[in-house]
């Protein structure tokens, strides 16, 4: 038997709702991108990759939250190999998620700074990069499983790495958050610097329009990533506190409230930054029904 606090069950249900909403939105967005030919472009392919990542992440968090809720309702300590697998998927997909936004920012940088490098902008090259991020994301957490780094936390009813000062903790936080975030921020400032330089030159109007369009896109991607940073701050704070042995009793329960909330908010943000997707969905929502004109005999 385990100790159950009064706030466990409501929070478990709230996490399931957030994850379920993200699953529905991500699958709808993927379906629209697949069937709508106006969305068959390289930028939308990168958006589709982010939606796919979000759907896998949301499915995993839905299963994890459901597992926690079942144990809380029964007030038991129970886990199996599937719990460890869920922990593995969590670390795998977090890195792929951040790298999917990094790929979008890199594509914007290429189209602005190297507009004539057509191969770098091609679908084939971008698919290579997408596959590379997935391969690296799948491989990197495997040692965590075989070295028993992912363990069952009774109080939190979840399988995760323990929060402590270790090389693997620092490496995991760097790979999943700090390195991709730093590179996205670097790309943003590189584009800002390039735009300022181009403004000082005599540049054709159509070129400046294209540059400004890509600049707005990278700014939106950065704002999307900052949603993840803000909602992931409690998790990062608990990691930092663990270096000094000062974490609260239920760190993962608290942190994953914000993580699950970010799943839904990120899907809304992806909808906002994807103009073709937004136009396609709005067109279907506001589509007028066909009028039937009666014939006069």
């Amino acid at each position: 038997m385990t100790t159950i606090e009064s706030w466990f069950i409501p929070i478990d249900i709230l996490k399931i709702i957030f994850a379920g909403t993200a699953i529905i939105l991500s699958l709808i967005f993927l379906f629209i991108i697949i069937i709508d030919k106006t969305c068959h472009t390289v930028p939308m392919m990168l958006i589709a990759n982010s939606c796919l990542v979000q759907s896998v992440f949301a499915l995993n968090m839905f299963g994890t939250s459901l597992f926690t809720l079942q144990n809380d309702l029964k007030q038991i300590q129970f886990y199996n190999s599937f719990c460890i697998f869920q922990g593995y998927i969590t670390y795998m997909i977090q890195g792929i998620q951040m790298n999917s936004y990094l790929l979008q920012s890199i594509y914007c940088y290429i189209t602005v700074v190297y507009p004539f490098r057509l191969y770098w902008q091609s679908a084939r090259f971008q698919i290579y990069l997408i596959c590379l991020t997935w391969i690296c994301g799948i491989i990197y957490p495997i040692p965590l499983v075989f070295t028993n780094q992912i363990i069952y936390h009774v109080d939190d009813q979840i399988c995760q790495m323990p929060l402590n000062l270790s090389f693997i903790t620092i490496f995991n936080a760097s790979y999943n958050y700090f390195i991709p975030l730093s590179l996205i921020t670097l790309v943003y400032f590189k584009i800002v610097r390039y735009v300022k330089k181009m403004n000082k030159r005599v540049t054709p109007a159509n070129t400046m329009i294209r540059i400004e369009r890509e600049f707005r896109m990278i700014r939106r991607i950065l704002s999307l990533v900052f949603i993840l940073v803000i909602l992931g701050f409690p998790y990062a704070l608990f990691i930092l506190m663990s270096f000094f042995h000062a974490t609260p009793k239920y760190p993962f329960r608290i942190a994953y409230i914000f993580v699950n909330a970010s799943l839904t908010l990120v899907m809304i943000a992806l909808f906002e930054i994807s103009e073709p997707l937004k136009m396609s969905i709005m067109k279907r929502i506001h589509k007028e029904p066909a009028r039937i004109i009666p014939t006069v005999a």
Side-chain angles (χ1 to χ4, degrees):
M1 301 293 291
T2 58
T3 303
I4 302 298
E5 302 288 346
S6 59
W7 55 277
F8 282 3
I9 305 301
I11 291 300
D12 292 340
I13 295 173
L14 191 61
K15 289 192 294 185
I16 289 173
I17 292 172
F18 281 135
T21 304
I23 292 170
I24 294 170
L25 291 176
S26 60
L27 293 180
I28 290 174
F29 293 171
L30 275 173
F31 178 74
I32 295 297
I33 292 172
I34 291 171
I35 66 171
D36 195 331
K37 292 184 178 180
T38 62
C39 296
H40 295 177
T41 61
V42 176
M44 289 307 300
M45 181 181 68
L46 297 174
I47 294 289
N49 177 54
S50 295
C51 290
L52 178 60
V53 173
Q54 285 294 117
S55 65
V56 176
F57 198 177
L59 281 167
N60 182 67
M61 296 313 301
F62 184 87
T64 301
S65 302
L66 193 62
F67 170 83
T68 303
L69 177 62
Q70 289 176 339
N71 283 7
D72 286 343
L73 289 173
K74 297 176 182 178
Q75 299 185 22
I76 59 173
Q77 301 177 25
F78 170 77
Y79 83 103
N80 51 25
S81 58
F82 186 67
C83 178
I84 302 296
F85 178 72
Q86 287 176 328
Y88 161 80
I89 293 294
T90 300
Y91 291 109
M92 177 198 83
I93 208 67
Q94 284 175 346
I96 299 175
Q97 179 193 44
M98 292 297 291
N99 285 322
S100 72
Y101 305 134
L102 176 60
L103 290 183
Q104 291 182 48
S105 63
I106 290 174
Y107 180 81
C108 290
Y109 178 78
I110 292 172
T111 54
V112 169
V113 182
Y114 302 104
F116 301 109
R117 301 290 178 90
L118 299 182
Y119 178 72
W120 292 0
Q121 302 174 36
S122 66
R124 177 179 295 182
F125 183 73
Q126 296 302 319
I127 289 173
Y128 288 155
L129 295 180
I130 290 172
C131 292
L132 182 62
T133 59
W134 277 87
I135 291 170
C136 292
I138 292 170
I139 291 175
Y140 117 85
I142 292 177
L144 303 181
V145 177
F146 287 102
T147 57
N148 297 319
Q149 295 291 328
I150 300 176
I151 62 175
Y152 174 59
H153 298 266
V154 176
D155 290 336
D156 295 285
Q157 296 286 8
I158 196 172
C159 292
Q160 295 280 285
M161 287 173 50
L163 299 178
N164 53 34
L165 178 58
S166 65
F167 169 77
I168 195 67
T169 301
I170 296 173
F171 173 79
N172 181 64
S174 300
Y175 180 84
N176 283 343
Y177 292 103
F178 299 123
I179 293 177
L181 176 62
S182 300
L183 291 176
I184 292 171
T185 307
L186 178 63
V187 168
Y188 174 78
F189 284 111
K190 284 280 188 181
I191 293 180
V192 169
R193 184 178 178 184
Y194 183 80
V195 170
K196 289 181 178 179
K197 186 187 297 184
M198 294 299 291
N199 284 330
K200 295 178 181 179
R201 299 178 181 177
V202 179
T203 309
N206 57 346
T207 302
M208 286 306 303
I209 291 173
R210 177 182 55 80
I211 292 174
E212 291 293 339
R213 183 179 66 247
E214 298 298 336
F215 179 67
R216 287 196 300 269
M217 185 63 184
I218 187 66
R219 190 164 53 191
R220 291 173 181 174
I221 294 170
L222 193 63
S223 63
L224 183 152
V225 172
F226 274 123
I227 293 175
L228 294 175
V229 171
I230 293 170
L231 293 176
F233 177 75
Y235 191 92
L237 179 62
F238 293 151
I239 292 176
L240 183 63
M241 291 171 65
S242 70
F243 295 167
F244 307 97
H245 305 286
T247 53
K249 185 177 181 181
Y250 304 107
F252 293 110
R253 287 185 185 270
I254 298 170
Y256 276 101
I257 298 170
F258 298 94
V259 172
N260 284 34
S262 72
L263 294 172
T264 300
L265 293 178
V266 164
M267 291 312 305
I268 296 172
L270 277 173
F271 173 77
E272 287 296 324
I273 70 173
S274 309
E275 291 297 332
L277 176 63
K278 185 192 297 186
M279 292 175 61
S280 179
I281 292 177
M282 290 302 176
K283 182 174 64 176
R284 283 167 170 77
I285 292 175
H286 299 294
K287 185 177 181 180
E288 295 184 1
R291 295 182 179 179
I292 301 175
I293 302 175
T295 58
V296 179

